[in-house]
Amino acid sequence: MPARHPAPPTACPTAAPHHPAAPPFMPSPLPLAVLCLAATLLQACGGGDSPAALPPVPVAFTGVVADGPLQGATACYDLNDNGACDSGEPTATTDADGRYAFDVPAAAAGQHAVLAQVPATAIDKDTGQAVGAAFVLQSPPSGASGAQAVFVSPLSTVVAHQAAEAGIPVAEAAARVQAQLGLATSPLADFTAAGAAPELALAARAVCRVMLDTGKLA
């Protein structure tokens, strides 16, 4: 009987290497941050949806109302050119130095007169007394854009009347009034300012008396 040979040992099966399941792909947070920043910059530079347009910024009008400086007058910007201070128009009350300040729509700056409705109770700083009679002063349209100072007086009122009645430019009307009154300075100048020619204040008081007597300031 032939000798039996033991069967060769069976090789142990090789275990398959263990690979843990790969995590799902996660994008780096950096690209997302970059995209957000780019979107922000794009909007800032005008890309994407355009933001609503901002309304025009109004411009500041300041000035003085004077025969002598008049306290308690109502200064306004006559947007509808009717010679009166109406509801909805830029308006301010003058202080002890006759000063006023209000904001005017940018598109309307320099296109209309500044009015001053002076009540009988308004105080003239030069005399310390109430003026005693109501009247209206005005300064003609400046024709300038942007913020500006507008002086309102009996002399500026004469210039405004001349320009309107003769249908001439304000500069020409001012030159006429200056020549008629023999003034060395424009009748539109602020005679309450330091160093102003005293002749302007004297002329303004004389004109105011005449105009009140004839009712042309009423």
Side-chain angles (χ1 to χ4, degrees):
M1 180 174 188
R4 296 181 62 185
H5 297 286
T10 304
C12 293
T14 303
H18 175 70
H19 296 289
F25 174 74
M26 295 293 291
S28 166
L30 181 58
L32 181 60
V34 171
L35 288 174
C36 290
L37 178 59
T40 302
L41 292 174
L42 184 61
Q43 290 182 352
C45 294
D49 294 334
S50 298
L54 295 176
V57 177
V59 298
F61 269 51
T62 59
V64 174
V65 177
D67 179 8
L70 297 171
Q71 178 183 10
T74 298
C76 72
Y77 197 61
D78 191 15
L79 289 172
N80 59 5
D81 300 320
N82 69 344
C85 294
D86 300 314
S87 175
E89 292 180 330
T91 303
T93 301
T94 56
D95 65 13
D97 294 317
R99 297 189 179 279
Y100 69 88
F102 47 66
D103 290 336
V104 169
Q111 305 304 309
H112 305 279
V114 174
L115 303 181
Q117 293 181 329
V118 183
T121 55
I123 303 299
D124 186 326
K125 183 179 179 179
D126 287 350
T127 66
Q129 302 294 319
V131 294
F135 54 91
V136 177
L137 300 175
Q138 65 177 295
S139 189
S142 67
S145 60
Q148 52 197 280
V150 179
F151 185 66
V152 186
S153 75
L155 297 180
S156 69
T157 303
V158 174
V159 173
H161 287 176
Q162 282 242 7
E165 292 171 5
I168 58 177
V170 171
E172 184 178 344
R176 286 189 184 184
V177 172
Q178 183 173 341
Q180 290 165 356
L181 297 179
L183 301 173
T185 310
S186 169
L188 297 177
D190 181 354
F191 53 73
T192 68
E199 66 171 353
L200 286 177
L202 293 173
R205 286 202 174 277
V207 167
C208 190
R209 286 195 296 270
V210 170
M211 296 177 78
L212 282 173
D213 289 344
T214 61
K216 289 186 178 180
L217 287 182

mmCIF file with all atom_site columns, all heavy atoms in Angstrom, residues 18-26:
data_model
loop_
_atom_site.group_PDB
_atom_site.id
_atom_site.type_symbol
_atom_site.label_atom_id
_atom_site.label_alt_id
_atom_site.label_comp_id
_atom_site.label_asym_id
_atom_site.label_entity_id
_atom_site.label_seq_id
_atom_site.pdbx_PDB_ins_code
_atom_site.Cartn_x
_atom_site.Cartn_y
_atom_site.Cartn_z
_atom_site.occupancy
_atom_site.B_iso_or_equiv
_atom_site.pdbx_formal_charge
_atom_site.auth_seq_id
_atom_site.auth_comp_id
_atom_site.auth_asym_id
_atom_site.auth_atom_id
_atom_site.pdbx_PDB_model_num
ATOM 1  N N   . HIS A 1 18 ? -7.931  46.823 4.441  1.00 0.00 ? 18 HIS A N   1
ATOM 2  C CA  . HIS A 1 18 ? -9.109  47.609 4.891  1.00 0.00 ? 18 HIS A CA  1
ATOM 3  C C   . HIS A 1 18 ? -8.904  49.082 4.546  1.00 0.00 ? 18 HIS A C   1
ATOM 4  O O   . HIS A 1 18 ? -7.917  49.692 4.944  1.00 0.00 ? 18 HIS A O   1
ATOM 5  C CB  . HIS A 1 18 ? -9.275  47.450 6.402  1.00 0.00 ? 18 HIS A CB  1
ATOM 6  C CG  . HIS A 1 18 ? -10.386 48.313 6.940  1.00 0.00 ? 18 HIS A CG  1
ATOM 7  N ND1 . HIS A 1 18 ? -11.706 48.049 6.677  1.00 0.00 ? 18 HIS A ND1 1
ATOM 8  C CD2 . HIS A 1 18 ? -10.345 49.415 7.737  1.00 0.00 ? 18 HIS A CD2 1
ATOM 9  C CE1 . HIS A 1 18 ? -12.442 48.958 7.280  1.00 0.00 ? 18 HIS A CE1 1
ATOM 10 N NE2 . HIS A 1 18 ? -11.631 49.803 7.936  1.00 0.00 ? 18 HIS A NE2 1
ATOM 11 N N   . HIS A 1 19 ? -9.803  49.560 3.751  1.00 0.00 ? 19 HIS A N   1
ATOM 12 C CA  . HIS A 1 19 ? -9.776  51.000 3.417  1.00 0.00 ? 19 HIS A CA  1
ATOM 13 C C   . HIS A 1 19 ? -11.035 51.653 3.974  1.00 0.00 ? 19 HIS A C   1
ATOM 14 O O   . HIS A 1 19 ? -12.133 51.308 3.540  1.00 0.00 ? 19 HIS A O   1
ATOM 15 C CB  . HIS A 1 19 ? -9.726  51.229 1.892  1.00 0.00 ? 19 HIS A CB  1
ATOM 16 C CG  . HIS A 1 19 ? -8.470  50.691 1.273  1.00 0.00 ? 19 HIS A CG  1
ATOM 17 N ND1 . HIS A 1 19 ? -7.235  51.264 1.454  1.00 0.00 ? 19 HIS A ND1 1
ATOM 18 C CD2 . HIS A 1 19 ? -8.275  49.606 0.468  1.00 0.00 ? 19 HIS A CD2 1
ATOM 19 C CE1 . HIS A 1 19 ? -6.325  50.570 0.782  1.00 0.00 ? 19 HIS A CE1 1
ATOM 20 N NE2 . HIS A 1 19 ? -6.927  49.559 0.183  1.00 0.00 ? 19 HIS A NE2 1
ATOM 21 N N   . PRO A 1 20 ? -10.879 52.579 4.899  1.00 0.00 ? 20 PRO A N   1
ATOM 22 C CA  . PRO A 1 20 ? -12.109 53.232 5.402  1.00 0.00 ? 20 PRO A CA  1
ATOM 23 C C   . PRO A 1 20 ? -12.796 54.007 4.298  1.00 0.00 ? 20 PRO A C   1
ATOM 24 O O   . PRO A 1 20 ? -12.172 54.498 3.368  1.00 0.00 ? 20 PRO A O   1
ATOM 25 C CB  . PRO A 1 20 ? -11.566 54.160 6.498  1.00 0.00 ? 20 PRO A CB  1
ATOM 26 C CG  . PRO A 1 20 ? -10.119 54.384 6.162  1.00 0.00 ? 20 PRO A CG  1
ATOM 27 C CD  . PRO A 1 20 ? -9.665  53.114 5.484  1.00 0.00 ? 20 PRO A CD  1
ATOM 28 N N   . ALA A 1 21 ? -14.106 54.102 4.405  1.00 0.00 ? 21 ALA A N   1
ATOM 29 C CA  . ALA A 1 21 ? -14.875 54.828 3.377  1.00 0.00 ? 21 ALA A CA  1
ATOM 30 C C   . ALA A 1 21 ? -14.420 56.279 3.324  1.00 0.00 ? 21 ALA A C   1
ATOM 31 O O   . ALA A 1 21 ? -14.270 56.937 4.347  1.00 0.00 ? 21 ALA A O   1
ATOM 32 C CB  . ALA A 1 21 ? -16.368 54.737 3.699  1.00 0.00 ? 21 ALA A CB  1
ATOM 33 N N   . ALA A 1 22 ? -14.184 56.767 2.107  1.00 0.00 ? 22 ALA A N   1
ATOM 34 C CA  . ALA A 1 22 ? -13.732 58.160 1.956  1.00 0.00 ? 22 ALA A CA  1
ATOM 35 C C   . ALA A 1 22 ? -14.866 59.112 2.320  1.00 0.00 ? 22 ALA A C   1
ATOM 36 O O   . ALA A 1 22 ? -16.023 58.868 1.986  1.00 0.00 ? 22 ALA A O   1
ATOM 37 C CB  . ALA A 1 22 ? -13.286 58.394 0.504  1.00 0.00 ? 22 ALA A CB  1
ATOM 38 N N   . PRO A 1 23 ? -14.558 60.162 3.043  1.00 0.00 ? 23 PRO A N   1
ATOM 39 C CA  . PRO A 1 23 ? -15.632 61.120 3.385  1.00 0.00 ? 23 PRO A CA  1
ATOM 40 C C   . PRO A 1 23 ? -16.135 61.809 2.134  1.00 0.00 ? 23 PRO A C   1
ATOM 41 O O   . PRO A 1 23 ? -15.426 61.899 1.135  1.00 0.00 ? 23 PRO A O   1
ATOM 42 C CB  . PRO A 1 23 ? -14.909 62.105 4.316  1.00 0.00 ? 23 PRO A CB  1
ATOM 43 C CG  . PRO A 1 23 ? -13.463 62.024 3.928  1.00 0.00 ? 23 PRO A CG  1
ATOM 44 C CD  . PRO A 1 23 ? -13.249 60.608 3.505  1.00 0.00 ? 23 PRO A CD  1
ATOM 45 N N   . PRO A 1 24 ? -17.373 62.294 2.164  1.00 0.00 ? 24 PRO A N   1
ATOM 46 C CA  . PRO A 1 24 ? -17.886 63.014 0.982  1.00 0.00 ? 24 PRO A CA  1
ATOM 47 C C   . PRO A 1 24 ? -17.038 64.244 0.714  1.00 0.00 ? 24 PRO A C   1
ATOM 48 O O   . PRO A 1 24 ? -16.518 64.862 1.643  1.00 0.00 ? 24 PRO A O   1
ATOM 49 C CB  . PRO A 1 24 ? -19.320 63.388 1.392  1.00 0.00 ? 24 PRO A CB  1
ATOM 50 C CG  . PRO A 1 24 ? -19.315 63.344 2.889  1.00 0.00 ? 24 PRO A CG  1
ATOM 51 C CD  . PRO A 1 24 ? -18.346 62.267 3.257  1.00 0.00 ? 24 PRO A CD  1
ATOM 52 N N   . PHE A 1 25 ? -16.959 64.655 -0.552 1.00 0.00 ? 25 PHE A N   1
ATOM 53 C CA  . PHE A 1 25 ? -16.123 65.803 -0.933 1.00 0.00 ? 25 PHE A CA  1
ATOM 54 C C   . PHE A 1 25 ? -16.706 67.082 -0.359 1.00 0.00 ? 25 PHE A C   1
ATOM 55 O O   . PHE A 1 25 ? -17.890 67.371 -0.507 1.00 0.00 ? 25 PHE A O   1
ATOM 56 C CB  . PHE A 1 25 ? -16.042 65.907 -2.469 1.00 0.00 ? 25 PHE A CB  1
ATOM 57 C CG  . PHE A 1 25 ? -15.311 67.147 -2.922 1.00 0.00 ? 25 PHE A CG  1
ATOM 58 C CD1 . PHE A 1 25 ? -13.915 67.225 -2.812 1.00 0.00 ? 25 PHE A CD1 1
ATOM 59 C CD2 . PHE A 1 25 ? -16.013 68.224 -3.430 1.00 0.00 ? 25 PHE A CD2 1
ATOM 60 C CE1 . PHE A 1 25 ? -13.258 68.367 -3.221 1.00 0.00 ? 25 PHE A CE1 1
ATOM 61 C CE2 . PHE A 1 25 ? -15.342 69.351 -3.839 1.00 0.00 ? 25 PHE A CE2 1
ATOM 62 C CZ  . PHE A 1 25 ? -13.966 69.425 -3.738 1.00 0.00 ? 25 PHE A CZ  1
ATOM 63 N N   . MET A 1 26 ? -15.861 67.806 0.344  1.00 0.00 ? 26 MET A N   1
ATOM 64 C CA  . MET A 1 26 ? -16.275 69.089 0.923  1.00 0.00 ? 26 MET A CA  1
ATOM 65 C C   . MET A 1 26 ? -15.412 70.184 0.307  1.00 0.00 ? 26 MET A C   1
ATOM 66 O O   . MET A 1 26 ? -14.190 70.149 0.441  1.00 0.00 ? 26 MET A O   1
ATOM 67 C CB  . MET A 1 26 ? -16.087 69.077 2.452  1.00 0.00 ? 26 MET A CB  1
ATOM 68 C CG  . MET A 1 26 ? -16.980 68.080 3.167  1.00 0.00 ? 26 MET A CG  1
ATOM 69 S SD  . MET A 1 26 ? -18.716 68.535 3.062  1.00 0.00 ? 26 MET A SD  1
ATOM 70 C CE  . MET A 1 26 ? -18.702 69.979 4.083  1.00 0.00 ? 26 MET A CE  1
#
